[in-house]
Amino acid sequence: MDHIGFAEIALLLAAAAIAAPLARWLKVGTVLGYLFAGILLGPYGVSGVFKAYEAKEFLHIAEFGVVLLLFLIGLELRPKRLWAMRNAIIGAGGSQMLITGAILAAVAWSLGFVWLTAIFLGLALALSSTAFALQVLEENGELTQRHGRLGFSILLFQDIAAIPLIAFAPLFAVVAVDAASAMDMTAALKAVGVLIAVILIGRFVLEHVLRLVALTKVKEAMTALALLTVVGTAAIMQWAGLSPSLGGFIAGALLAESSYRHELEADLKPFEGLLLGLFFTAVGMSLEFNLLLSEPVAILSLVVGLVVIKFAVLFAIGKTHGLDNWGSRRLGLSLSQGGEFAFVLLAAGAANAVLNDFAANLGALVVTLSMAATPLLLLLDHYLLPKPKSGSSKPDAMPEDTSGHVIIAGFGRFGQITARILRAKRIPFIALDTDPAQIQLVKSFGSEAYFGDPARMDILMAARVDEARALVLAIDDVEQSMRCATILKANFPDLPIFARARHRVHYHRLMELGITYIQRDTYLSALDVSRELLLGLGESERDADFAVKAFDEHDRHRLIDDYQHYTDDEKLRERARTDAENLARIFDDDASDEELNADLGKQDAKAIAERQSRAEADA
């Protein structure tokens, strides 16, 4: 790739920067935008900047985006989540892969492919595009509906199934390129040994390394370690003769329960998005577009056949899982395209002599055109067969008090008390803190917390702030707390925020952002101590209760009134002196009232005694 310099790299980045927003604006999906940008830049585009061999080489490098995608997928596959979705994942996802793969394999075999190649093609084309389908469902507001959730389960199974398909593509080979391509016993043992070593190191060593780096509080070191984890695992897998993508997935899965997974996800997400976009751009550059021009009828027939077969299978699965016709149809159309993993599998198949170059290029072109058809088909379906007013594909009805989760930003003493109450009420929460020692401590007592700066937008998104019911702002540092509050109010104005203020100025700054529920540090506990102190000094319970209650009411009113002057120190000092005198007068007036009431009580008692004496004398 000696030809590619800064000018070519700038052109690629410009294409990525323009293609994705333009495709999103046109509502055709960013993946399709990247593919079309690649076609324009490739040897068959209008510019022809990149030659065919350069496009193939760049595609090989850009596959690191797929490795990062698989790492993040593995990072999301927590055991509890998988177990809760097991029926939909295994049932719907497994049946879709087996039935669709079998039908497509039969079609490939009828077209003249040998049976091993036909099976490989059938399974590769049975995969749908996770990035493409989820984006389409989310943009249409259907991801939280029943068919959207079922579609997510199917895509999740496909993502998992793609791993062994990519890793063991050489097993489908019908012609050995050379002796090294055959998987002999030594190579198999080497691969198994490396897998075990990676799992053991990731399970028992990686968490401690992440904690040590986090203790340094050097942000770029954490990002470098995150990238090193993915790149290192992928390189080891490649050295062992396995797929680098498998390494990325294993690394992510090993860290799924890590305290640092939100930080890792936030650090790597921008790299994953950009590199995956460059991967799709490279796929577009590598397409043999002259095939479409030479055999348009045959290729379009293959595209129609792929979409129809996948749609029919998915429609039937939707019906068997209780969806109505509209929901089953939307499920089928949303997942009817070929997937990004098909590009990887087709490339792996060509590299391992499972497919010849012509078949791999033809398959990639069919997958690309099927992606292009998806938004158009969904648009036609929306206008020609609109959603019925009632049906089973409405959003899942969940009790209002159990939907969503709570985010606790800051997991010191304040946040931990809130967490204990939420856990006792079985309300799910995600706790974030930037102190690795604190996280390690609370985890040793059975609490769950994750490393990450809640004042960063990417960390909040990794904690699914857009799905949260509320957020507890319990950060110790005032400036960090204000950064977090500012981000939240700017991007999620409707999210309820329950804030902790370190002092009065912090309270006023939070008020200025529009936060309405704020509690000051140590305020309530100080009132309790003051009451006990007054009792210990000999005050009556009535006097102690009145003093604390009066102070509380007076101070809360003053706190609100001081807001308009909170930046004027001289004015605040003057008001503090005046308020102290007013509060003293309140206590003095109460003492006078008590003395008066006591005198009146004595007079009443004396009058009553005199009346009783006269009554006794008369008797």
Side-chain angles (χ1 to χ4, degrees):
M1 294 184 65
D2 295 334
H3 173 69
I4 297 182
F6 287 112
E8 287 74 23
I9 293 174
L11 191 59
L12 283 170
L13 292 174
I18 296 172
L22 183 60
R24 178 69 62 88
W25 181 69
L26 294 173
K27 297 183 178 180
V28 297
T30 56
V31 174
L32 199 58
Y34 288 128
L35 290 171
F36 283 149
I39 291 170
L40 293 176
L41 293 175
Y44 304 101
V46 293
S47 62
V49 174
F50 296 93
K51 303 298 186 290
Y53 73 92
E54 293 171 337
K56 295 290 185 183
E57 186 65 22
F58 182 71
L59 176 62
H60 179 69
I61 295 174
E63 283 179 5
F64 182 56
V66 180
V67 175
L68 281 176
L69 173 64
L70 284 170
F71 174 81
L72 294 176
I73 289 173
L75 210 58
E76 285 295 319
L77 297 185
R78 298 182 295 281
K80 290 181 181 178
R81 186 181 184 190
L82 286 174
W83 182 252
M85 300 170 61
R86 62 191 183 281
N87 293 329
I89 294 174
I90 298 174
S95 58
Q96 185 275 334
M97 276 291 293
L98 290 175
I99 297 171
T100 307
I103 295 173
L104 292 174
V107 172
W109 181 74
S110 67
L111 293 176
F113 290 98
V114 297
W115 67 276
L116 274 174
T117 303
I119 293 174
F120 181 82
L121 276 173
L123 293 173
L125 296 177
L127 300 170
S128 303
S129 172
T130 299
F132 197 84
L134 288 183
Q135 181 180 316
V136 168
L137 287 168
E138 187 174 4
E139 287 175 352
N140 293 329
E142 299 175 25
L143 190 56
T144 57
Q145 298 184 16
R146 288 189 62 197
H147 67 278
R149 293 179 183 274
L150 184 61
F152 177 78
S153 299
I154 293 172
L155 291 168
L156 188 57
F157 181 89
Q158 291 181 0
D159 290 337
I160 297 172
I163 307 304
L165 287 176
I166 295 170
F168 301 113
L171 295 178
F172 291 91
V174 292
V175 178
V177 178
D178 51 44
S181 65
M183 293 193 65
D184 57 19
M185 186 59 67
T186 303
L189 291 174
K190 177 182 176 182
V192 172
V194 166
L195 275 173
I196 294 174
V198 167
I199 291 172
L200 291 176
I201 293 172
R203 177 68 179 83
F204 297 105
V205 177
L206 195 53
E207 178 84 2
H208 300 293
V209 176
L210 286 166
R211 182 170 62 87
L212 290 174
V213 174
L215 284 170
T216 66
K217 298 187 181 298
V218 180
K219 180 66 183 66
E220 55 270 26
M222 199 69 179
T223 304
L225 181 60
L227 286 169
L228 176 62
T229 300
V230 182
V231 175
T233 311
I236 291 171
M237 288 294 173
Q238 191 173 43
W239 173 78
L242 297 174
S243 167
S245 303
L246 177 63
F249 177 79
I250 290 175
L254 290 173
L255 291 169
E257 294 291 344
S258 169
S259 304
Y260 303 92
R261 70 180 188 86
H262 289 97
E263 178 80 9
L264 292 170
E265 181 181 353
D267 285 342
L268 294 180
K269 194 67 177 176
F271 294 99
E272 178 261 344
L274 177 60
L275 290 172
L276 199 59
L278 293 177
F279 170 74
F280 288 128
T281 304
V283 169
M285 288 167 23
S286 304
L287 288 177
E288 298 285 346
F289 220 71
N290 55 347
L291 290 177
L292 178 60
L293 300 177
S294 61
E295 297 289 342
V297 176
I299 291 175
L300 291 177
S301 299
L302 291 174
V303 174
V304 172
L306 175 65
V307 171
V308 168
I309 290 171
K310 297 188 75 171
F311 170 81
V313 174
L314 288 162
F315 184 89
I317 289 173
K319 295 294 290 183
T320 59
H321 281 74
L323 298 181
D324 61 6
N325 288 334
W326 182 85
S328 300
R329 194 171 64 247
R330 299 297 289 185
L331 172 68
L333 292 175
S334 298
L335 275 69
S336 62
Q337 75 290 132
E340 55 266 14
F341 286 124
F343 296 131
V344 182
L345 282 166
L346 291 170
N352 291 280
V354 181
L355 301 168
N356 57 36
D357 289 339
F358 175 80
N361 292 332
L362 180 62
L365 183 59
V366 169
V367 169
T368 303
L369 294 176
S370 71
M371 286 183 173
T374 300
L376 301 177
L377 292 173
L378 286 169
L379 197 62
L380 287 173
D381 178 76
H382 174 72
Y383 287 108
L384 299 179
L385 298 169
K387 179 182 179 180
K389 293 184 179 180
S390 62
S392 61
S393 290
K394 61 186 178 181
D396 289 344
M398 297 183 68
E400 190 173 327
D401 60 342
T402 59
S403 59
H405 62 286
V406 175
I407 295 176
I408 302 176
F411 209 50
R413 291 171 297 173
F414 194 103
Q416 289 173 45
I417 292 172
T418 305
R420 289 168 62 188
I421 295 172
L422 292 176
R423 187 183 299 108
K425 294 290 292 181
R426 294 181 173 84
I427 297 174
F429 65 87
I430 294 175
L432 300 171
D433 200 278
T434 55
D435 186 350
Q438 177 71 8
I439 291 172
Q440 192 69 20
L441 176 64
V442 298
K443 284 176 76 72
S444 67
F445 284 92
S447 295
E448 286 298 325
Y450 297 96
F451 180 83
D453 183 358
R456 285 174 51 188
M457 183 65 176
D458 49 0
I459 296 291
L460 290 170
M461 291 305 298
R464 306 193 312 280
V465 66
D466 52 331
E467 302 173 17
R469 294 169 60 188
L471 183 139
V472 178
L473 186 59
I475 300 173
D476 287 332
D477 183 81
V478 173
E479 295 307 320
Q480 186 187 18
S481 171
M482 291 305 304
R483 287 196 301 270
C484 182
T486 302
I487 291 173
L488 290 167
K489 295 302 291 185
N491 296 279
F492 308 98
D494 297 327
L495 177 68
I497 299 175
F498 298 82
R500 160 209 194 179
R502 295 283 290 174
H503 43 64
R504 300 176 77 87
V505 175
H506 188 196
Y507 189 107
H508 290 143
R509 292 176 67 185
L510 291 169
M511 282 182 63
E512 196 167 34
L513 291 176
I515 297 174
T516 55
Y517 187 89
I518 311 169
Q519 186 58 261
R520 283 171 287 169
D521 259 4
T522 70
Y523 178 72
L524 295 178
S525 56
L527 291 180
D528 287 341
V529 170
S530 300
R531 180 183 180 277
E532 295 300 320
L533 173 63
L534 292 175
L535 291 174
L537 294 174
E539 298 277 347
S540 67
E541 286 203 16
R542 182 263 176 201
D543 287 347
D545 288 340
F546 175 81
V548 170
K549 184 178 179 182
F551 175 85
D552 184 31
E553 292 179 354
H554 182 81
D555 191 71
R556 289 181 186 274
H557 286 301
R558 177 190 159 195
L559 189 64
I560 302 301
D561 293 340
D562 281 350
Y563 169 61
Q564 57 186 323
H565 307 293
Y566 87 91
T567 57
D568 187 342
D569 292 340
E570 184 59 36
K571 186 70 174 179
L572 289 178
R573 283 192 288 269
E574 179 185 341
R575 287 177 61 85
R577 288 190 293 269
T578 304
D579 287 336
E581 295 170 0
N582 292 336
L583 189 61
R585 276 196 297 271
I586 291 174
F587 290 160
D588 291 340
D589 291 342
D590 178 67
S592 299
D593 290 343
E594 188 176 10
E595 290 176 3
L596 177 61
N597 290 334
D599 290 340
L600 291 174
K602 291 177 182 178
Q603 294 174 11
D604 291 341
K606 183 178 180 181
I608 292 170
E610 289 175 352
R611 284 197 300 271
Q612 288 177 344
S613 297
R614 285 196 299 270
E616 291 174 358
D618 293 340

